[in-house]
Every structure is written in structure tokens, then in C-alpha cells.
Amino acid sequence: MRHLLDTRTLSRDDALQILDIAEDMADTQQREVKKLPTLRGKTIVNLFFEDSTRTRISFEAAAKRLSADVINFSAKGSSVSKGESLQDTAQTLQAMGADAVVIRHGASGAPRTLATSGWITAGVVNAGDGTHEHPTQALLDAFTMRKRRHGAASRGRDLDGLAVTIVGDVLHSRVARSNVWLLSTLGADVTLVAPPTLVPQDVSGWPVRVLYDLDEAIAGMPDAVMMLRIQLERMNAAYFPTEREYSRRWGLSAARLAALADGSIVMHPGPMNRGLEISAEAADSPRSTVLEQVANGVSVRMAVLYLLLAGERPEREQNLRAESESDR
């Protein structure tokens, strides 16, 4: 794997390879010494042009647990926002010897520009670009669903037939887009639920069903309900009457939580607007996978960095397990 820029072009085999290696990574995180020597001597740059807490920290933890050197670059407040400035930054990172760049950018397509421009030879991981995609979030979500569904027998399994309902601000959500493509590739059936104003203008080419009534969607007995954050910072118009009205019609209340089928799970990419898109009862219930998603994010990002920088060797799984054993 040279880069990870989106899930739309990610094949089923490549997706399963990432998820299976993430299983191995998760196993190493259960022991007292969590570090592996795999990426010793490699330099990974976290290049964040937008604010982030959990994604940046998750990538930093993943890189450090693989023994890589990490450089955190925050562009907040700087003028680095256009192509030429991105080029200058990339060339600086190239001169510093970066082996991989994890980039979050407000402009859709910025990671692809970085990966294909020739400015840098490092592998590029998209950590969220505009309203386009957020591939590692979708991968950790799929990993979480697979673990809940198959448990210890997850390796090699896809999500065939799993019913997933994604609810909320789909219009502004790169998480929703990445999940739609990845979950479909893995065999899941995806339903989007949102106010008409928060559904993208044309989803005719998306492999989804669209509903506008959350109660109708819940009556369909989904296996997983993913609540999206209302991205008020990206809204410059009135997409719904009031927050109270939104919560009443499209929020996961305690009553809707109780109406879910036995065994169904509640997901949220975070950060949560408690009382808006999700109630405290839902966020804190045993059905909630929110904290599992955070923990699984480190394992998935370890797998992605491993594949980018350790090479796609046929014996990689055996090598990884050998390293894990030798480091005990």
C-alpha cells in the first residue's frame, strides 16, 4: 500500500488486509509492554490544518507504539491553506526526511494533491479532507462492527448482510461518505437517515437507501446505528428549525434506544453533542461502542502505518507476531 486517501477506491481484499492486521495490532495492545520495534528509524509527520484531538492523538499513539519518530505540525492560525503553501510545507517535510505524512485539511482533495504532486516521496494518509472522506475512521468503525459481530473469529470476515443505519448531518460528514463506500464494499446494507436539508444533493450513485424518519429506520431493526455529529461550524444557513426540534425528530433518545433490536449497537465518531444527536442514556449504555471505537482506532492506524512503511511482504503477519513475541 503506497497511500491511503479514501475508501471509495479501496478494494475488499485491501480493506480486509488492514482489518486483519489491526487484529494482530490489537492483540499486542493487551500486553504490559505495548511497543513494537517495527518502524524504528522511520519518521511520521502529523500535518493538521484543522483542529483535532482524538484523530491526531490516535495517530501519534499508533506511530509511537510502532517505535516511529513523530513530528506534530499544527497549521492553526497560519496562512498555509493554498496549493503553493502546501507545496512549500511538503518540500520542507521532504527535506526533513519524512517517511509518512498524516494530513488533515479543510480542502477536499488536499491529501491526493500531496500524494500525486511529486513534491514528496513519503506515503500519505488522509486523516480527513473537507467534506470528502476520512478513511481510517471508517476502517475503525468497520473493525468495531466486525468485533461485535464475530468476536475472536473476526479475522478474514467481512460484514455481509449487516444492516447499518447512519443518522444525522450526512451533508457535511466525511465520516458518512467513507463509511458508505467501505461498508458497501464489505457487504453491509447501509441506510442514511437525515432531514432533507442535510442529505447531499445527489446520492443516486451511492449504494444506500435514504429515509427521513428515524423511527421508521429503527423499526427496520438495524444491527448498528451510527449517530453523526451536527457540524454547526460548517453550517452557514438554517438546515433545521431549532436544536430542540432536531433532537426530537432525529436524535437517539432513551425511548428510541429502548426500541432497538436486541444485539444492535450504537456508534458515534465523536466528539458527541450530548442532548442533540444522542442522549446521555444512549451514549453511556452497554450498546454504545464509542470508547471501543477510540481504542480500536489506535490498532487500525497502527495497521495502516505498518502497511505503508513496513512493506507488503507475504510473511508480514508472521513477522509481526514474531516481533510481538520477542518483545514480551
Side-chain angles (χ1 to χ4, degrees), residues 52-195:
S52 169
T53 300
R54 66 190 64 215
T55 301
R56 181 183 59 78
I57 290 174
S58 181
F59 269 110
E60 183 173 358
K64 288 182 174 178
R65 288 178 189 179
L66 290 169
S67 300
D69 297 318
V70 182
I71 298 172
N72 289 314
F73 179 93
S74 174
K76 183 179 180 182
S78 77
S79 61
V80 185
S81 59
K82 298 181 180 179
E84 184 177 2
S85 295
L86 181 60
Q87 178 180 357
D88 291 340
T89 304
Q91 290 173 337
T92 299
L93 299 179
Q94 177 74 9
M96 293 170 61
D99 296 293
V101 177
V102 178
I103 178 172
R104 168 169 287 197
H105 202 287
S108 298
R112 183 167 296 279
T113 298
L114 188 63
T116 60
S117 61
W119 300 332
I120 195 167
T121 59
V124 176
V125 180
N126 180 2
D129 61 329
T131 57
H132 176 229
E133 283 216 36
H134 192 353
T136 59
Q137 179 67 48
L139 284 161
L140 74 88
D141 290 339
F143 184 86
T144 302
M145 293 180 208
R146 194 171 78 153
K147 290 289 281 186
R148 280 283 185 126
R149 190 183 200 192
H150 298 298
S154 292
R155 284 180 178 81
R157 300 288 193 95
D158 59 18
L159 300 176
D160 190 44
L162 193 77
V164 182
T165 297
I166 301 175
V167 186
D169 186 1
V170 179
L171 179 65
H172 300 103
S173 179
R174 53 198 175 202
V175 172
R177 286 169 173 79
S178 282
N179 266 290
V180 163
W181 299 114
L182 180 65
L183 293 174
S184 176
T185 296
L186 293 175
D189 299 315
V190 182
T191 299
L192 301 179
V193 181

